[in-house]
Amino acid sequence: MRRSILLASALATTLALTACGSGEGTAGGSGDEPADDAASATAQASGSLTVWVDETREAAVEQAAAAFEDETGVDVELVQKNFEDIRADFLAQVPTGEGPDITVGAHDWLGEFTANGVVAPIELGDKAGDFIPVSVEAFTQDGQVYGLPYAIENIALIRNTELAPEAPKTFDDMIAAGEKAGTKFPFLIQSDGDKGDPYTYYPFQTSFGAPVFEQNDDGSYRPELALGGKAGEAYATWLGEQGEAGNLSTDISYDIAVEAFAKGRSPFVVGGPWMLEKFGDLDLAVDPVPAPGGQPAQPFAGVQGFYVSAQSENALLANDFLVNSMSTPQAQTALFEAGGRPPALVEAADAASEDPLVAGFREVGATAVPMPSIPEMGSVWSFWGVTEASIISGKADDPAAAWDKMVSDIEGSIG
Amino acid sequence: MSRARYQGAVTGSGTRPGAGFAVKLVLVALVDALGVFGVLAAWRAGSWGILAATVALLAAANWVYFTKRSLPLKYILPGLAFLLVYQVYVVGYTGYVAFTNYGDGHNSTKEQAVDALLVQNERRVEGSPALPLTVVESSAGDLGFAVVSGGEAEVGTADEPLAAAPGATLDGGVVTAVPGWTVLDRATVLQRQDEVTTLRVPVSADAADGSVRTQDARTGYVFQPVLVYDEAADTMTDATTGVVYTPNDEGQFASADGETLPVGWRVTVGFENFATAFGDDRYAGPFVKILAWTFAFALLSVVTTFALGMFLAMVFNDPRLRGRKVYRTLMILPYAMPGFLAALLWAGMLNTSFGVVNQVLLGGASVPWLTDPWLAKLSVLGVNLWLGFPYMFLICTGALQSLPGDVYEAARIDGAGRWRTWRSITMPLLLVATAPLLISSFAFNFNNFTLIKMLTGGGPRFDDASVPLGHTDILISMVYNVSGLDGSAPRDYGLASALSIVIFVVVGVVSAVAFRQTRKLEELS
């Protein structure tokens, strides 16, 4: 009996092996056996690169990849991922060796990536000078550059020129112009319910002189909170007043803001270049965000770029691809056309600035500060947003006290 | 007698394999093909655990389907295999992670952490030029770099510092030939890229001058390591300050005065995660509130959906009602909608200022459906009622239709009224059929992450904003927030796993007790 089981299993396995025999034959040549013929030697030498891209940028990266493939004979495989998933997946998969060689990403992931040892530095060399300084700065930590930047994004004030022909100088000007236009909302700024949206509100905050962290001279941040004190309290008080006056509301989500502006229900919206495609044929202008406080209103600059995995087995190829193929004006322009964010390469950015709206965002971006990429930033967002939301909605009776509580909570969380 | 006949049918009297055997052989061959493919793939990837598991499953499958002794296993095995892979393994792995410090800063193995620390702390020597670089090989087979420095060619290897190579040929600022060295072509360089990227060629005999390395085999830069790893002693030394870092129990390199290097690795930490879960006084207060709400939510969800579902089922079970089929189909519609989509839609409809409910149904009122603690809870229950009653409606309809008519007739003859009939006959019989489903519905709602996440996101937040939790958070969404999986805090998979295990135990105990209770119901009938 036992022998018959063995026999039958052997028969089944043999059948199985014969069935996949043809497949084995083709696969075996490239991987396992020592290659002795010329054809497989090149196949082995050329190697392959795996690149994670999001849907928007896939086509643009594909162009650059095709050129790189032609030049070097390397096989570049693009894997499409949701941009939101990349951060966590990269962190989880790089240590297992299943991660990509290269991934697209945002610069504010850098702190987490280096703390977990999943990214390798990139030496841009003299090419660093070809990029807009803030873009390389954003990918710099401790003097090392960890990403090849390709786009800079920041928010600004988008104005419907039909409803408001003049750019407002101050926040009060803007509200006055908005009320004069007779639209439903004097101006629009998005929030995310009771979670708030400190990213979009940040220009207002900086105008009161309360940046989130202390900045070093080279533009990098150190983990010392700067958003407290008198300046922060003044901002909190202002938020409370404006919330009460109805100029700010936590009920206006991104979708509501975009839809209302597109339908001409407000002359102003605070937002980024990603909104523009929704606004169709409106006549628009892009201006700096008007400052309610005494100092300039500086938005956050977010920089997008490519990271190289610390566990890449093709590090040489990956660096070659990024430094020599993705830093060309053609590649950066293609990425701009796909994603709509102004390019990080000066030459490509100049070309893109022919569009007055892009130029407008770039002009505002010149005053922007990079979003902090230090790991401590992760502990800030949630407290920050919730507190802002509770002040605006009037749930916090004393804005200044709520703000101080937030500062001490964040300090407790950073430890 | 019957056993003998059955055996004969299966084996074709043992000697002549019939058509059935051939079919079985082909099917098992297909399974084996898949298994062998899996084994080979695991072999190539070096995943020994998966390899062993695949081999074991494959052997089990072959034994089960070719032996005559295991008829029940033939039916159970596929389900058992999936149970092992998708449930037991997952629970086991979660249990394992619960005892480690896997999370931000402890993301990978020690080896990788060391690599990462070294690579992050190798700095380009300030002001050093970019050197056009060619990868060369000496006659002895050592890899080396030929660089152009100040218009002159220099060659060196890991052991020999860069030295002038007078006879070298330069073309376009790049070395193309060096006497005594072979210039490697691009294909060979790529083939040996590991060696190329790890090669460090000292600039001079003095190590303090740094060494040349390249990332793309086209340009070299002079680098200087800041951290040096001593493999034998297992310590990191800061080359600039001389501070020595030794590995500690937390999976980090720490100096004598307690300063740690940023990148750590995964180690087992015993019950520390469980201690944090229950010992952190920041979470103690919210935890009790959330636990109470979780039970209330799960229980009320089951009760309300069952009540509505049963009521509708009884109404539509009445033969006097016309067009029952149409109504029944309409009733099932919410069930046909993906839960997360429905939750998102409801979140929009319940928006205080712009939602349909306030704007249209309540004529412009501003009821804070999702931002007032109690109303938010009510909204969550309401939306879950809308989502869940069709399921209860379906199972109650099924159960009602299978109730015996003669019992009702007997009740009527005994003079029982409608209420009495419902209470003493319909309800008990209905519960016998549906109780197990109610228990599973409770377990489902206990962990109904999608609804909470999509509808309220756990909000409105507790007034004490020091924890990222809110009034409608249930245990599973609390785990998600507290362990930083939503990005609002440093990620801590260890803590998340520990809390998940706690939830698993709670749900398991509740279900076990409830199932025990349902046996009493069965005794009734």
Side-chain angles (χ1 to χ4, degrees):
Chain A
M1 168 96 84
R2 176 126 328 144
R3 194 186 299 155
S4 73
I5 298 173
L6 268 180
L7 198 72
S9 313
L11 193 58
T13 315
T14 320
L15 263 175
L17 284 174
T18 341
C20 58
S22 58
E24 280 298 300
T26 46
S30 62
D32 302 330
E33 300 151 23
D36 44 12
D37 56 316
S40 64
T42 32
Q44 206 175 32
S46 56
S48 73
L49 268 183
T50 310
V51 184
W52 281 1
V53 284
D54 59 321
E55 193 188 351
T56 331
R57 276 152 281 263
E58 193 178 7
V61 177
E62 206 161 67
Q63 275 180 24
F68 186 70
E69 280 176 336
D70 287 346
E71 189 195 335
T72 59
V74 170
D75 185 27
V76 181
E77 191 197 342
L78 299 185
V79 179
Q80 189 193 317
K81 307 267 296 179
N82 276 331
F83 194 75
E84 299 78 41
D85 297 339
I86 289 179
R87 183 180 191 163
D89 288 1
F90 193 73
L91 276 168
Q93 293 191 21
V94 166
T96 67
E98 302 292 318
D101 297 300
I102 296 173
T103 182
V104 297
H107 85 273
D108 55 306
W109 306 351
L110 178 60
E112 202 177 2
F113 279 4
T114 53
N116 289 311
V118 294
V119 280
I122 297 180
E123 187 52 59
L124 294 177
D126 302 337
K127 287 219 168 77
D130 300 344
F131 289 91
I132 294 173
V134 70
S135 68
V136 180
E137 255 168 44
F139 275 107
T140 305
Q141 194 181 19
D142 259 353
Q144 300 253 56
V145 179
Y146 285 90
L148 181 96
Y150 67 80
I152 303 178
E153 62 187 32
N154 55 267
I155 52 171
L157 186 71
I158 306 174
R159 172 164 54 96
N160 185 336
T161 50
E162 214 166 285
L163 296 171
E166 304 254 329
K169 294 261 182 317
T170 65
F171 186 82
D172 295 333
D173 280 357
M174 176 174 75
I175 298 297
E179 274 161 3
K180 208 177 109 200
T183 48
K184 186 172 174 194
F185 305 96
F187 98 110
L188 288 161
I189 182 165
Q190 76 198 54
S191 182
D192 184 11
D194 68 346
K195 288 191 225 33
D197 190 343
Y199 171 85
T200 311
Y201 278 74
Y202 195 61
F204 296 145
Q205 184 174 335
T206 46
S207 81
F208 285 91
V212 55
F213 282 117
E214 299 283 356
Q215 239 176 328
N216 295 324
D217 295 337
D218 65 351
S220 63
Y221 289 89
R222 52 177 188 272
E224 290 165 33
L225 287 179
L227 43 60
K230 284 269 173 312
E233 286 170 12
Y235 170 60
T237 312
W238 177 81
L239 278 182
E241 287 165 9
Q242 296 299 324
E244 207 169 323
N247 293 330
L248 302 177
S249 161
T250 52
D251 284 332
I252 298 178
S253 68
Y254 173 81
D255 292 325
I256 292 172
V258 167
E259 197 194 326
F261 187 81
K263 290 196 174 150
R265 294 201 188 121
S266 172
F268 306 104
V269 65
V270 178
W274 50 86
M275 283 182 177
L276 294 177
E277 62 173 1
K278 301 270 170 57
F279 297 152
D281 47 2
L282 292 179
D283 281 327
L284 302 175
V286 174
D287 309 312
V289 178
Q295 298 177 31
Q298 295 175 292
F300 274 137
V303 182
Q304 299 196 323
F306 294 94
Y307 288 105
V308 176
S309 157
Q311 298 298 321
S312 168
E313 287 168 7
N314 303 298
L316 203 140
L317 270 181
N319 279 288
D320 193 16
F321 177 58
L322 288 189
V323 176
N324 300 319
S325 289
M326 295 309 295
S327 65
T328 60
Q330 292 83 357
Q332 296 254 329
T333 303
L335 284 165
F336 160 67
E337 278 159 6
R341 271 92 159 158
L345 192 74
V346 174
E347 194 180 335
D350 287 344
S353 296
E354 278 169 21
D355 179 342
L357 294 183
V358 176
F361 276 110
R362 196 180 160 197
E363 210 166 294
V364 178
T367 66
V369 286
M371 193 146 67
S373 63
I374 50 177
E376 284 80 5
M377 191 64 198
S379 310
V380 176
W381 286 116
S382 151
F383 296 116
W384 196 13
V386 170
T387 307
E388 284 191 354
S390 72
I391 292 174
I392 294 167
S393 64
K395 237 195 292 176
D397 303 329
D398 182 354
W403 196 261
D404 290 339
K405 169 90 168 50
M406 172 195 81
V407 173
S408 64
D409 282 340
I410 298 175
E411 269 163 0
S413 165
I414 291 176
Chain B
M1 166 69 187
S2 69
R3 184 171 165 81
R5 200 194 301 154
Y6 140 76
Q7 273 195 347
V10 168
T11 60
S13 309
T15 47
R16 287 168 284 111
F21 183 77
V23 169
K24 182 166 80 176
L25 197 62
V26 170
L27 286 177
V28 175
L30 283 175
V31 171
D32 282 354
L34 198 70
V36 169
F37 175 74
V39 168
L40 288 177
W43 177 274
R44 256 184 228 142
S47 312
W48 308 123
I50 294 177
L51 196 147
T54 318
V55 168
L57 273 178
L58 212 53
N62 278 287
W63 181 77
V64 164
Y65 288 105
F66 287 117
T67 184
K68 285 165 195 152
R69 290 186 194 162
S70 62
L71 185 69
L73 262 184
K74 286 188 169 77
Y75 291 96
I76 308 173
L77 186 78
L80 205 60
F82 285 118
L83 183 77
L84 279 174
V85 173
Y86 291 112
Q87 300 283 331
V88 177
Y89 171 73
V90 172
V91 172
Y93 189 72
T94 309
Y96 159 70
V97 172
F99 291 96
T100 70
N101 61 355
Y102 179 27
D104 255 357
H106 301 275
N107 199 38
S108 53
T109 61
K110 184 173 177 187
E111 199 186 324
Q112 293 184 2
V114 169
D115 281 353
L117 280 172
L118 292 179
V119 78
Q120 285 178 15
N121 289 287
E122 190 171 21
R123 300 292 158 72
R124 187 173 164 194
V125 173
E126 227 162 290
S128 65
L131 307 168
L133 175 144
T134 314
V135 182
V136 293
E137 190 177 16
S138 75
S139 46
D142 290 336
L143 273 191
F145 290 150
V147 299
V148 182
S149 177
E152 300 294 323
E154 295 179 6
V155 178
T157 66
D159 304 322
E160 301 165 38
L162 286 178
T169 318
L170 293 181
D171 184 15
V174 181
V175 176
T176 52
V178 198
W181 299 78
T182 322
V183 171
L184 299 186
D185 63 1
R186 192 77 189 153
T188 324
V189 168
L190 290 180
Q191 207 173 353
R192 301 176 67 172
Q193 52 179 310
D194 248 9
E195 294 169 67
V196 174
T197 46
T198 50
L199 180 62
R200 303 283 181 275
V201 176
V203 174
S204 70
D206 182 4
D209 286 347
S211 50
V212 174
R213 69 166 208 187
T214 184
Q215 283 185 327
D216 58 1
R218 296 179 201 270
T219 318
Y221 299 96
V222 182
F223 274 76
Q224 185 69 273
V226 177
L227 278 180
V228 181
Y229 181 57
D230 182 347
E231 213 162 325
D234 195 19
T235 57
M236 283 276 185
T237 310
D238 190 319
T240 49
T241 60
V243 177
V244 178
Y245 297 86
T246 48
N248 64 9
D249 292 344
E250 301 281 305
Q252 275 180 318
F253 281 107
S255 67
D257 54 5
E259 201 193 332
T260 54
L261 295 177
V263 186
W265 57 94
R266 234 183 279 181
V267 290
T268 45
V269 292
F271 283 90
E272 200 173 281
N273 288 320
F274 293 92
T276 316
F278 293 108
D280 193 329
D281 44 339
R282 274 192 308 159
Y283 294 120
F287 180 78
V288 174
K289 280 192 211 167
I290 287 173
L291 185 71
W293 162 240
T294 309
F295 271 102
F297 165 70
L299 209 64
L300 285 172
S301 289
V302 174
V303 170
T304 52
T305 52
F306 182 68
L308 183 62
M310 182 178 63
F311 173 73
L312 290 172
M314 287 171 60
V315 170
F316 290 120
N317 205 34
D318 194 318
R320 286 169 298 179
L321 191 75
R322 288 184 179 204
R324 282 189 294 163
K325 282 188 182 148
V326 179
Y327 288 126
R328 275 184 184 158
T329 315
L330 285 177
M331 282 294 145
I332 295 166
L333 274 185
Y335 193 44
M337 235 166 112
F340 73 94
L341 195 64
L344 274 180
L345 277 178
W346 276 101
M349 295 193 336
L350 292 171
N351 182 304
T352 307
S353 319
F354 307 99
V356 173
V357 174
N358 277 343
Q359 288 293 308
V360 180
L361 297 183
L362 301 177
S366 49
V367 183
W369 290 111
L370 297 176
T371 44
D372 176 81
W374 289 102
L375 278 176
K377 285 179 176 172
L378 190 71
S379 304
V380 167
L381 284 172
V383 172
N384 208 18
L385 174 63
W386 186 82
L387 276 171
F389 86 84
Y391 172 73
M392 295 296 182
F393 172 71
L394 273 181
I395 59 173
C396 286
T397 303
L400 282 175
Q401 285 174 347
S402 68
L403 292 189
D406 50 352
V407 190
Y408 284 98
E409 215 174 316
R412 216 173 30 244
I413 292 167
D414 284 351
R418 271 164 191 272
W419 169 248
R420 184 66 208 232
T421 317
W422 179 79
R423 198 166 59 89
S424 304
I425 299 178
T426 313
M427 251 327 256
L429 289 178
L430 202 57
L431 276 180
V432 171
T434 55
L437 297 168
L438 295 185
I439 296 167
S440 68
S441 170
F442 175 86
F444 170 79
N445 280 309
F446 201 87
N447 286 330
N448 199 340
F449 178 76
T450 319
L451 177 73
I452 302 294
K453 172 87 178 156
M454 294 294 173
L455 187 61
T456 62
R461 297 276 292 242
F462 288 128
D463 295 334
D464 174 15
S466 59
V467 284
L469 299 169
H471 289 278
T472 56
D473 263 318
I474 55 175
L475 282 175
I476 192 75
S477 65
M478 169 179 165
V479 171
Y480 187 77
N481 293 338
V482 167
S483 56
L485 301 187
D486 63 346
S488 63
R491 248 170 275 262
D492 191 340
Y493 294 111
L495 181 62
S497 299
L499 284 166
S500 304
I501 295 290
V502 172
I503 294 176
F504 176 75
V505 170
V506 170
V507 175
V509 168
V510 170
S511 302
V513 170
F515 273 116
R516 195 161 284 254
Q517 293 295 316
T518 58
R519 280 199 207 140
K520 287 186 198 152
L521 284 174
E522 275 165 37
E523 281 158 18
L524 267 180
S525 59

